[in-house]
Amino acid sequence: GSNMTILVTGGAGYTGSHVCIELLNQGYEVAVVDNFLTSSSDTLRNIREQTGKDVKLYAMDLGHKELVERIFTENEIAGVIHFAGIKSTGVYKRNPIEYYYTNLASTLMLCKVMAEHNVKKMVFSSSEGFYGDNGADTTTYGSAKLMIERILKEVYLADPSWSIRVMRYLQEED
């Protein structure tokens, strides 16, 4: 459509899907990228039922440049809300290499493609880890989140034309 499209990474997750509903209700077009590792397609049906609108779905990982690129060439992306990131449950609890690689590489790839397409608005949200027993208490989870925040901060410092917001949910204030 001619409307601005917001890309929601991890948009099939619990929080991501609620954000999609809110965006659709506000008149935005929404593109969702999700690999469904820790989410389900039920949430997408839920989005449609609640809004009567569809999101454009890219079922894939953010680690592949040519795939991420396609999202930006096929849509007029105005900004990105970044929820993507696996929770440190199951296999990842015992495999920090996979865990960090997946979370950090996907964020770096996303930023790289965003920069190339001059889309420099991002909201980074790490709320997914705070629902239920998703390993919010594990150091790997917290460390990965802080690393991503650090990366985004340096992206902004190197190029202040970026607009980056970091959102944290349900956390004690320092």
Side-chain angles (χ1 to χ4, degrees), residues 15-143:
T15 319
S17 64
H18 285 276
V19 167
C20 289
I21 289 169
E22 193 52 44
L23 290 169
L24 289 165
N25 286 338
Q26 288 178 25
Y28 289 99
E29 308 266 329
V30 175
V32 165
V33 58
D34 205 296
N35 59 15
F36 295 100
L37 268 180
T38 55
S39 49
S40 97
S41 48
D42 291 352
T43 47
L44 294 175
R45 200 164 48 243
N46 185 40
I47 292 171
R48 192 179 307 116
E49 282 167 6
Q50 301 233 4
T51 62
K53 297 175 187 166
D54 271 313
V55 298
K56 191 164 184 183
L57 175 66
Y58 293 86
M60 59 179 219
D61 279 304
L62 282 168
H64 305 286
K65 186 163 195 246
E66 58 290 348
L67 296 179
V68 180
E69 211 123 56
R70 231 182 65 210
I71 301 173
F72 285 83
T73 52
E74 292 178 2
N75 305 278
E76 248 343 275
I77 304 291
V80 176
I81 302 181
H82 185 40
F83 286 98
I86 41 177
K87 306 160 187 167
S88 55
T89 49
V91 60
Y92 292 105
K93 254 204 171 80
R94 293 172 297 283
N95 195 339
I97 296 170
E98 273 307 295
Y99 185 80
Y100 284 121
Y101 183 82
T102 304
N103 283 288
L104 298 181
S106 62
T107 300
L108 289 165
M109 185 60 75
L110 179 64
C111 289
K112 194 175 162 74
V113 177
M114 285 175 71
E116 287 170 6
H117 289 263
N118 204 33
V119 176
K120 296 181 175 181
K121 287 188 167 62
M122 180 192 281
V123 175
F124 170 61
S125 163
S126 42
S127 64
E128 281 297 313
F130 294 98
Y131 289 94
D133 176 30
N134 293 334
D137 54 340
T138 68
T139 54
T140 314
Y141 177 84
S143 303

